[in-house]
Amino acid sequence: ADGLALRGALPAEDGGAAREGAAREGAAREGAAAGSCSAGPATQVPEVSLDEARVLYGKPGVTFVDARSRADYERGHVKGAVPLPYEAAALAAGQSSLPVPKAHRLIVYCEYVNCQLSTLLAQLLSQSGCERVRVLKGGYPAWAAAGLPTGTEP
């Protein structure tokens, strides 16, 4: 399996949790949670521009990762993206196997330009051994506004 190995099961997401409150709470837990996967400090994760993401989309070895809630994902997402809500990933760090291919270039996004969920998830993935993680500048709204492929399938 080339997925990112963490131990245990991902908790079920209720979809109704306040995203920003949960992100702040998750950020407070992040140091301890990430420490169980790797002993490094928070990693600065570079951004990828919309133009670069457009070129990378659909190429082998590239996976888009949606850091938003499952409900937001189902309302609309980058077509083919892996749903991995930050809150669930932070709770599961060190305890479960996450559905992201560790060897792929991972492009993480969330809901709006200054949303911290994508940055926090990207840091968590980087600290857990994923070496090619980037955050999509402008997030899902920029992708959708550019008319790039989107989906609503679960």
Side-chain angles (χ1 to χ4, degrees):
D2 65 347
L4 182 57
L6 303 166
R7 298 177 302 277
L10 279 174
E13 183 187 0
D14 68 11
R19 278 183 295 214
E20 293 305 316
R24 282 190 300 276
E25 198 174 292
R29 285 191 306 268
E30 183 180 7
S36 63
C37 298
S38 167
T43 308
Q44 188 67 17
V45 180
E47 290 184 329
V48 61
S49 71
L50 184 60
D51 288 336
E52 186 178 357
R54 178 188 337 232
V55 170
L56 292 170
Y57 179 76
K59 290 195 174 189
V62 177
T63 300
F64 282 73
V65 181
D66 192 321
R68 303 171 304 155
S69 73
R70 186 67 184 207
D72 285 339
Y73 174 85
E74 290 176 0
R75 278 192 286 274
H77 54 267
V78 172
K79 190 162 187 69
V82 173
L84 184 57
Y86 169 74
E87 294 87 356
L91 288 173
Q95 301 174 11
S96 70
S97 178
L98 300 176
V100 293
K102 189 174 181 178
H104 279 202
R105 178 177 296 186
L106 303 176
I107 300 175
V108 183
Y109 67 89
C110 60
E111 189 60 41
Y112 50 90
V113 175
N114 293 318
C115 177
Q116 292 300 304
L117 296 177
S118 56
T119 300
L120 292 171
L121 180 58
Q123 289 173 340
L124 182 65
L125 292 170
S126 290
Q127 292 168 355
S128 298
C130 296
E131 296 178 6
R132 300 187 310 158
V133 183
R134 304 289 180 266
V135 172
L136 177 61
K137 190 172 183 173
Y140 178 71
W143 182 269
L148 296 169
T150 61
T152 56
E153 73 282 352

